[in-house]
Each structure stands twice: as C-alpha cells, then as structure tokens.
Amino acid sequence: MTQPTEVQPTIEDDSPVLNTRTCSQCGAPVESLDRFCQGCGTAQASEAPAAGAGEPPKYFRCENCGAQVAVDPDQRSYVCPFCDSTYVVEFAPEQSGRQPPEFVIGFAVTVDQAREKFNRWLANNSWFRPGDLRRARVAEKMRGVYLPFWSFSLLAESRWAASIGEHWYRTETYTVHRNGKTETRTRQVQETEWWPLSGRHHRYYSGFLVSGSRGLHQSDAERIKPFHLAALKRYEPRFLAGWLCEEYSVGRSDALALCQQEFFAREQRAVAAFLPGDTHSGLEVETEFSQVNSDLILLPVYLLSYRYRDKLYRFLVNGQTGKVAGDKPISGWKVGIVVGLAVVLAVVVFLVLAGRW
C-alpha cells in the first residue's frame, strides 16, 4: 500500500498540522482525519489505528427479526438497527459457511447529512405528527449499515402464443326521431379481426437487486433504489471500517427465485409490447432462464428504527444517492379534528345547496 505523502504548511500558525493524501476516487486532497472526501464524498480509510484494530469483529443475531450484523470488537452492547430490539445474541460467523461479499459501494452521505434528511422529512406535514415525537430525539438512533444484496444477470428465452386483433371500421346507418320527424344518420363502428399468432422472444437481463437481509424486506429496498452500480468496487475489508455490516440471511436460491419472478414479469411486458396488431388477448408466455450469474454486494444504507407507542417505525436513506423513504406515526386526535371539520363543512355545503341554510 502506498504511503500517504506529507504536505508541509507554508504559513506558520498555531493550528494543528494534518497530513494530506489524495482521494482514490477523484484525486482531491484529503486530510488524514477525514472519513469522507470533500470533493466526491467517497469514504476514506483512516490512517490512525482504530480501537480494536487487528481484532476480528463481533457478530450479533437479533432474535426478534433475524438480522445478523458485524460490529466493532470493542462494542459491549448492541441494539438491532432493523427492529430497535435489544434481544440479541452473539454468534460465530465461521459456523454459517456463508460466502464473502464480492463488491461494495462506499458511503457518500455522511451521518450528519442523513440525520438532517430525517429531520427535514419528519418536519414535512408536521401538524399531523405527535407533539412528543420531536422531543424523543430518535435521530440519534441513525446507523449506517452495509447491507447485503444479490445482483443477478441471466438470459430469458420465451415461447409465446396469443390472439392478435386488428381494428377496421364500417359505416353504419341508423335513424333518430326528433320533434316528430325521422332523421337518417351514419356513424363509424369499430370491428376487430382476430387471428392466432405464436413466436419466440429472448432478452438478457441484469442489474436487478434482491435484498439479502430479512431485516430489510424487498418492498423497503425498492423504496430507496436505484443504486448506481457503475460505482461498484472490488470488496476490501477497509470499506467496513467504522460501519456496521449485516451478514446475508436470504440465500442465493431464494433470491434467485424472487429475481426470476421479476424478470418473468418483465419478459411478459416485453413480449406484449413486441406483439403486432392493435390489440391482443389470451397471451401465454413460457420462459426459461439460463446463463445465470450472481454477485453478492454490500450497499450503503442508513437505518433508523424506533418505537412509538409500541409500534415500530423505520426511516431509510440510500447512503450513495441520499434518497429517503420511511413511515411516520400520525396523531389520532389531530386526524380526528380534520375529519370532523371536513364532515361539518360537507353538511354546511349540503344545507346551503338545499336552500335550508
């Protein structure tokens, strides 16, 4: 590994002197204590030896949601970032036989930026939020986690059959009776001619990400997509320094089955768009997949899970793009006021229109 080059200051002052180096992503100068590049936001490996350096991480499994997360070796207590549960147990990852990750995308959004996004998101439509939620300081529970995803590429080959319809128009004569008179008029009537058609279709699909975490359901993962996969780097342990990292709990075979469902749906849409004619019906598509390739990758996500009145809420930030998604608690009595006012307003409008007001 190339040693960082020291840059001596040209102005004498009392401020501390920090060594600088260049960002491996964009080449901008980066101070030795910076965790992120100021130019492009790429996470930087710290030069100072971290606490517990050289020691293997600890692994915890949440007995509530099943998430399995690697943490710093000096961490003594742990709260699950997925379900806010403290019911966790330590386990040995070598017993699982899981494959190591192959690629990773580093964090480009800082913790402070993620918390600011949460505060702005929470303030939106804040009148409907419970008044004591903001005082709970839930933003402090924000955690950056590298989450496992499966990325598949495969060839889909389909045989299809359908009835193809082509429209044509005929002129129809009809009569109408108006003011005791009979009038003859014409109009265009659409007819459809049908014929059977069958064929083959194939396409190579790639880039669909399946969550490898049982703590982050696929529906939640879809809410913070896309990730820009062009930024993938070959996995190195240094990317995980200072961050949580979850072990995958959704195996390759289960992820592949979900991926094939998605690609089968895409293949049906592609065949439907490919069909000739003006319309079609009875489309049947049989698809076989081959040349299946998969990569296990780690993607940066900020998680904030908190409980409000015994109900779990979650906020997510895409650690690469900054896209946010989440669910907020709603104040029942405030919603009741709005509904009540709406009912009163509707009654008043009805009475006014009926002439009773």
Side-chain angles (χ1 to χ4, degrees), residues 143-293:
R143 295 291 182 270
V145 185
Y146 278 104
L147 296 184
F149 281 81
W150 294 98
S151 176
F152 291 95
S153 60
L154 47 81
L155 176 65
E157 298 177 288
S158 299
R159 296 184 299 272
W160 57 267
S163 294
I164 307 300
E166 187 170 313
H167 301 321
W168 61 277
Y169 296 87
R170 61 179 175 82
T171 301
E172 180 181 76
T173 302
Y174 67 101
T175 58
V176 296
H177 300 280
R178 177 177 296 179
N179 299 326
K181 298 181 180 180
T182 300
E183 297 180 5
T184 301
R185 299 180 180 179
T186 61
R187 60 190 174 193
Q188 295 293 305
V189 179
Q190 176 182 293
E191 300 285 357
T192 303
E193 182 177 357
W194 295 92
W195 71 90
L197 193 65
S198 61
R200 293 177 177 271
H201 182 274
H202 70 274
R203 180 171 295 179
Y204 193 79
Y205 293 95
S206 63
F208 182 67
L209 298 173
V210 179
S211 173
S213 166
R214 297 196 185 278
L216 183 72
H217 296 157
Q218 185 66 22
S219 57
D220 288 329
E222 295 292 340
R223 300 172 70 183
I224 56 172
K225 287 184 180 180
F227 288 87
H228 302 316
L229 299 185
L232 283 171
K233 301 289 186 181
R234 181 65 65 177
Y235 169 75
E236 295 180 16
R238 65 179 179 85
F239 281 97
L240 308 186
W243 303 98
L244 300 178
C245 176
E246 187 191 7
E247 291 283 304
Y248 69 87
S249 52
V250 176
R252 181 184 183 277
S253 58
D254 292 336
L256 177 59
L258 194 154
C259 180
Q260 289 178 334
Q261 290 178 13
E262 172 65 21
F263 287 158
F264 176 69
R266 293 187 188 184
E267 187 70 358
Q268 285 185 308
R269 294 193 295 267
V271 171
F274 169 79
L275 294 179
D278 299 308
T279 185
H280 66 271
S281 66
L283 175 61
E284 296 181 357
V285 180
E286 296 181 359
T287 302
E288 294 182 354
F289 298 103
S290 61
Q291 301 181 28
V292 179
N293 294 291

Side-chain angles (χ1 to χ4, degrees), residues 99-169:
Q99 73 177 70
E102 299 164 90
F103 297 96
V104 62
I105 292 179
F107 277 87
V109 177
T110 67
V111 175
D112 290 339
Q113 290 171 339
R115 288 175 179 170
E116 178 60 26
K117 288 178 179 292
F118 171 75
N119 290 329
R120 290 200 303 265
W121 172 81
L122 191 64
N124 189 29
N125 296 328
S126 59
W127 194 85
F128 290 98
R129 306 278 80 76
D132 57 345
L133 180 60
R134 187 171 290 276
R135 295 192 299 271
R137 302 182 67 176
V138 294
E140 296 178 358
K141 294 186 175 183
M142 182 82 68
R143 295 291 182 270
V145 185
Y146 278 104
L147 296 184
F149 281 81
W150 294 98
S151 176
F152 291 95
S153 60
L154 47 81
L155 176 65
E157 298 177 288
S158 299
R159 296 184 299 272
W160 57 267
S163 294
I164 307 300
E166 187 170 313
H167 301 321
W168 61 277
Y169 296 87

